[in-house]
């Protein structure tokens, strides 16, 4: 008999097909979790790229020397991105206050506080949007290794049961069963590592984007205060 023909098959597919049904269920769950995390990763890559490009373009328009009203008007009635919406909201409050005539210092302070609250609300809403999906990445990153370890422990227990039944402890008999069990841990790590890296990256990106919105809100508030100082 050809020795190579009797050699155990350690390919991924063979290890999966030879595994116990519980281990197979663990692997399938981990593979689905990995696919879900990659869907979130790709979505976040494109979303943050588009958001930052749009923010760059809008900030260039605002800093181009044109009036804020003109820039806000060009953004349209329902702009998709946060910065033009913030600008339009601040200018709306400014216009509403301006139509009421001259303002006292207290009225001007209330207007600035009201604009700040509106901008803070929009920043919180936009930050919540960009953070959607990060929770699922965190779950995959933290839970996958333990789920894979459970599959490994179960597989090893099943392997030892088979060894006891066959009463054969040779390496040729033990190695395939142990490899099937350890494969569950490998699948868990394959799912967890990209999710962990992506979670940390996108959490940082979300924080930077929130800081960018806050900086723009501070600039808007300063511009409104400058206008108010000329009217009070």
């Amino acid at each position: 008999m050809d020795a190579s023909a009797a050699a155990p098959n350690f390919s991924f597919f063979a290890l999966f097909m030879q595994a116990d049904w519980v281990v197979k269920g663990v692997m399938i769950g981990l593979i689905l979790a990995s696919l879900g995390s990659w869907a979130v990763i790709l979505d976040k890559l494109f979303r943050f790229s588009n958001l930052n490009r749009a923010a760059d373009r809008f900030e260039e328009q605002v800093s181009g020397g044109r009036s804020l009203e003109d820039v806000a008007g060009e953004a349209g009635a329902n702009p998709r991105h946060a910065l033009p919406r913030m600008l339009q909201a601040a200018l709306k409050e400014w216009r509403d206050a301006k139509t009421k005539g001259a303002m006292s210092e207290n009225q001007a302070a209330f207007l600035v506080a009201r604009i700040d609250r509106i901008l803070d609300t929009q920043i919180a809403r936009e930050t919540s949007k960009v953070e959607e999906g990060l929770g699922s990445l965190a779950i995959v990153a933290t839970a996958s290794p333990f789920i894979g370890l459970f599959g490994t422990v179960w597989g090893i227990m099943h392997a030892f049961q088979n060894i006891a039944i066959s009463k054969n402890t040779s390496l040729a008999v033990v190695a395939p069963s142990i490899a099937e069990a350890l494969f569950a841990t490998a699948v868990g790590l394959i799912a967890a590592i990209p999710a962990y890296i992506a979670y940390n990256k996108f959490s940082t990106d979300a924080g930077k984007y929130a800081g960018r919105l806050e900086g723009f809100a501070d600039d808007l508030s300063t511009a409104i205060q400058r206008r108010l100082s000329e009217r009070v």
Side-chain angles (χ1 to χ4, degrees):
M1 181 177 179
D2 188 0
S4 62
N9 189 349
F10 290 102
S11 68
F12 290 163
F13 180 76
L15 291 175
F16 173 81
M17 295 304 298
Q18 296 167 12
D20 179 70
W21 64 272
V22 174
V23 180
K24 285 182 180 178
V26 168
M27 291 182 188
I28 291 173
L30 290 172
I31 291 170
L32 292 177
S34 180
L35 292 176
S37 67
W38 274 106
V40 174
I41 290 170
L42 294 176
D43 174 71
K44 292 301 178 187
L45 284 174
F46 288 110
R47 178 173 299 187
F48 278 114
S49 178
N50 291 334
L51 287 174
N52 286 316
R53 280 200 303 266
D56 290 338
R57 290 194 298 267
F58 190 75
E59 287 177 347
E60 288 178 2
Q61 293 176 354
V62 170
S63 61
R66 301 163 57 200
S67 68
L68 295 178
E69 285 78 5
D70 290 342
V71 176
E74 286 187 358
N78 295 301
R80 295 177 52 192
H81 299 286
L83 296 187
R85 286 201 300 269
M86 293 169 63
L87 176 59
Q88 291 179 354
L91 290 178
K92 180 180 181 300
E93 293 296 324
W94 160 254
R95 286 194 299 268
D96 292 345
K98 187 171 65 173
T99 57
K100 298 177 182 178
M103 287 180 288
S104 64
E105 291 185 2
N106 287 337
Q107 290 173 327
F110 284 134
L111 174 61
V112 172
R114 187 164 65 250
I115 291 174
D116 287 340
R117 285 197 299 271
I118 292 172
L119 295 179
D120 288 341
T121 300
Q122 293 200 6
I123 291 172
R125 187 179 300 118
E126 294 299 323
T127 302
S128 177
K129 287 181 181 179
V130 299
E131 289 178 346
E132 289 178 356
L134 294 185
S136 62
L137 289 180
I139 292 172
V140 173
T142 55
S144 293
F146 296 102
I147 296 173
L149 183 60
F150 166 76
T152 295
V153 172
W154 183 277
I156 290 175
M157 291 172 56
H158 185 73
F160 280 130
Q161 289 176 356
N162 291 336
I163 291 170
I165 293 172
S166 64
K167 297 181 180 180
N168 187 345
T169 59
S170 66
L171 186 61
V173 174
V174 174
S177 299
I178 300 300
E180 294 162 15
L182 293 176
F183 186 46
T185 297
V187 175
L189 293 175
I190 290 171
I193 292 173
Y196 177 79
I197 295 172
Y199 173 78
N200 285 279
K201 171 183 167 42
F202 294 136
S203 295
T204 301
D205 291 345
K208 289 181 179 178
Y209 186 70
R212 189 170 193 173
L213 296 182
E214 291 171 358
F216 186 76
D218 291 341
D219 292 340
L220 273 180
S221 181
T222 301
I224 297 297
Q225 292 180 45
R226 189 180 300 114
R227 291 186 178 190
L228 288 171
S229 64
E230 297 172 355
R231 294 177 58 86
V232 174

